[in-house]
Amino acid sequence: MTPPTDRYQRPIDYLRVSITDRCNLQCVYCMPLGGAVKLKHEDILSYEEFLRLIQIAVNMGINKVRLTGGEPLVRKGVVDFCRRLTRISGLQSLSLTTNGVLLEELGPDLYAAGIRRVNISLDTLKREKFFRITRRDEFDRVWRSIQAAERVGFNPVKINVVVMRGINDDEVLDLARLSLHHPYHIRFIEFMGFNNDRQWNLQHYFSADEILEKLRQVGSLAQVAPEHSNGPARHFRWPDAPGMIGIISPISHHFCPTCNRLRLTADGKLRNCLFSDQEVDIKTPLRQGATDSELSQFLRDSIVNKPEKHSLQPDFFRKCQSRPMVAIGG
Ligand code: SAM
Ligand code: SF4
């Protein structure tokens, strides 16, 4: 089925669903110090409600769904939810972004439930630094999860690295070198300065060009067109490497002209741009008994009003957003 388009003729075929705002880490760039204000339980959509909305989205032509959070694996019943999602016909791709803390434990069941694609976030290979970034001592578990994900058969295993000047930019090469020995996709993401913690500001922004410059020190890097992806990453590979490197540069190279995303938050708000506070409340009509066709109109409204582009600058952190990243899902 042809996906819906927005007013700029961009096909919107990808829905990112945040199934919880809870998290077992407290990353400095995502969660305010001391934790974010938590949604009330009754405000969080039930799995039944998510299933209904996702089915409606798929019926409209959206064919890719990514589950995110907070941390999606902390929500009870997530494996069964995935199993039910993979049965939705027309849903061509179901993936998950996780911090990896619980993936070693849940990976085999998630795989059995039909999940094949996982993104695991890991910004450092050093345990102490991991603690500094995430405020939790969970490096060992995350590292074991990455290795377990490969064994279980997830493919691709993507590793998301937020690069921060003075924090982990010195590890870009070590992290990238994982792609020389494993079939991992190492994805370097430009740090977006959300206003979580005052000490995490502009001075930590490290551009995609600077990342590429570091990578090129090791040897020639070929740009590759990946299969099955029209996402925002530019992909590269070192000769003979089993893995790949992706660069995601929301700040320095806008990918707005090809943006294909819509987001659904845990409390049932549709967000049509990561950097816009424009939200459409779909939970209220859902709970007031709206029909499928009425609900699909809410999705269409959000899609049609998708902004042409964001005006994000490296100093975006100064302009506080209504929600921290942990409550949007990345
Ligand atoms: N908890 C899961 C995780 O960490 O993978 C899923 C949610 S998290 C919000 C999704 C992605 O957003 C992660 O890869 C995280 O590193 C990234 N992220 C969060 N805050 C960010 C920021 N300020 N700048 C760039 N990426 C960010
Ligand atoms: Fe939690 Fe993921 Fe945000 Fe880190 S990036 S605080 S793991 S939601």
Side-chain angles (χ1 to χ4, degrees), residues 100-118:
V101 173
L102 296 173
L103 189 65
E104 184 185 22
E105 187 184 324
L106 294 179
D109 289 345
L110 286 165
Y111 191 87
I115 298 276
R116 293 292 177 270
R117 305 163 71 84
V118 287

Side-chain angles (χ1 to χ4, degrees), residues 143-192:
W143 185 242
R144 283 203 308 270
S145 284
I146 289 173
Q147 294 165 308
E150 187 183 347
R151 278 198 308 276
V152 167
F154 290 106
N155 185 17
V157 173
K158 297 188 180 179
I159 300 181
N160 285 359
V161 182
V162 179
V163 185
M164 296 160 281
R165 185 183 308 283
I167 308 292
N168 63 348
D169 58 311
D170 58 331
E171 289 191 71
V172 164
L173 283 182
D174 289 341
L175 285 154
R177 280 193 187 102
L178 293 174
S179 74
L180 290 172
H181 309 291
H182 304 271
Y184 304 153
H185 294 198
I186 314 294
R187 293 151 44 92
F188 294 105
I189 306 172
E190 283 181 339
F191 164 60
M192 296 176 271

Side-chain angles (χ1 to χ4, degrees), residues 29-30 68 70-71 97-99 121 160 162 190-192 325 329-330:
Y29 45 68
C30 179
T68 174
E71 171 49 36
T97 299
T98 170
N99 61 28
S121 300
N160 285 359
V162 179
E190 283 181 339
F191 164 60
M192 296 176 271
M325 190 73 114

Side-chain angles (χ1 to χ4, degrees), residues 42-212:
E42 62 268 28
D43 285 335
I44 297 178
L45 297 186
S46 66
Y47 284 135
E48 293 299 331
E49 289 172 322
F50 277 123
L51 280 162
R52 178 155 176 228
L53 293 178
I54 293 169
Q55 178 71 70
I56 291 169
V58 170
N59 292 346
M60 289 170 62
I62 288 177
N63 52 38
K64 293 187 259 299
V65 168
R66 173 171 296 276
L67 303 182
T68 174
E71 171 49 36
L73 300 190
V74 299
R75 182 157 177 183
K76 276 199 194 109
V78 64
V79 172
D80 191 49
F81 178 54
C82 290
R83 190 173 299 116
R84 294 172 75 189
L85 282 173
T86 52
R87 289 189 197 131
I88 294 182
S89 80
L91 182 57
Q92 292 166 13
S93 163
L94 176 65
S95 55
L96 185 81
T97 299
T98 170
N99 61 28
V101 173
L102 296 173
L103 189 65
E104 184 185 22
E105 187 184 324
L106 294 179
D109 289 345
L110 286 165
Y111 191 87
I115 298 276
R116 293 292 177 270
R117 305 163 71 84
V118 287
N119 286 26
I120 305 168
S121 300
L122 180 72
D123 303 326
T124 175
L125 296 170
K126 297 178 182 161
R127 198 173 160 192
E128 307 73 44
K129 203 186 283 185
F130 183 94
F131 183 80
R132 193 174 160 209
I133 296 172
T134 67
R135 303 176 178 125
R136 295 287 182 273
D137 185 15
E138 294 286 14
F139 173 80
D140 293 343
R141 279 219 275 181
V142 175
W143 185 242
R144 283 203 308 270
S145 284
I146 289 173
Q147 294 165 308
E150 187 183 347
R151 278 198 308 276
V152 167
F154 290 106
N155 185 17
V157 173
K158 297 188 180 179
I159 300 181
N160 285 359
V161 182
V162 179
V163 185
M164 296 160 281
R165 185 183 308 283
I167 308 292
N168 63 348
D169 58 311
D170 58 331
E171 289 191 71
V172 164
L173 283 182
D174 289 341
L175 285 154
R177 280 193 187 102
L178 293 174
S179 74
L180 290 172
H181 309 291
H182 304 271
Y184 304 153
H185 294 198
I186 314 294
R187 293 151 44 92
F188 294 105
I189 306 172
E190 283 181 339
F191 164 60
M192 296 176 271
F194 277 66
N195 199 5
N196 294 316
D197 185 338
R198 285 191 179 176
Q199 51 175 309
W200 289 85
N201 56 29
L202 186 56
Q203 76 205 51
H204 296 302
Y205 172 70
F206 196 83
S207 74
D209 288 349
E210 291 173 287
I211 298 168
L212 274 169

Side-chain angles (χ1 to χ4, degrees), residues 22-31 69-71 98-99 121 134 325-326:
R22 309 300 201 256
C23 190
N24 43 8
L25 298 182
Q26 284 210 359
C27 303
V28 285
Y29 45 68
C30 179
M31 178 93 83
E71 171 49 36
T98 170
N99 61 28
S121 300
T134 67
M325 190 73 114
V326 67

Side-chain angles (χ1 to χ4, degrees), residues 212 216 220-226 233-238 244-245 247:
L212 274 169
R216 289 193 171 116
S220 67
L221 204 56
Q223 187 153 2
V224 284
R234 287 175 286 155
H235 296 86
F236 302 86
R237 197 195 283 276
W238 277 313
M244 281 212 282
I245 295 170
I247 308 272

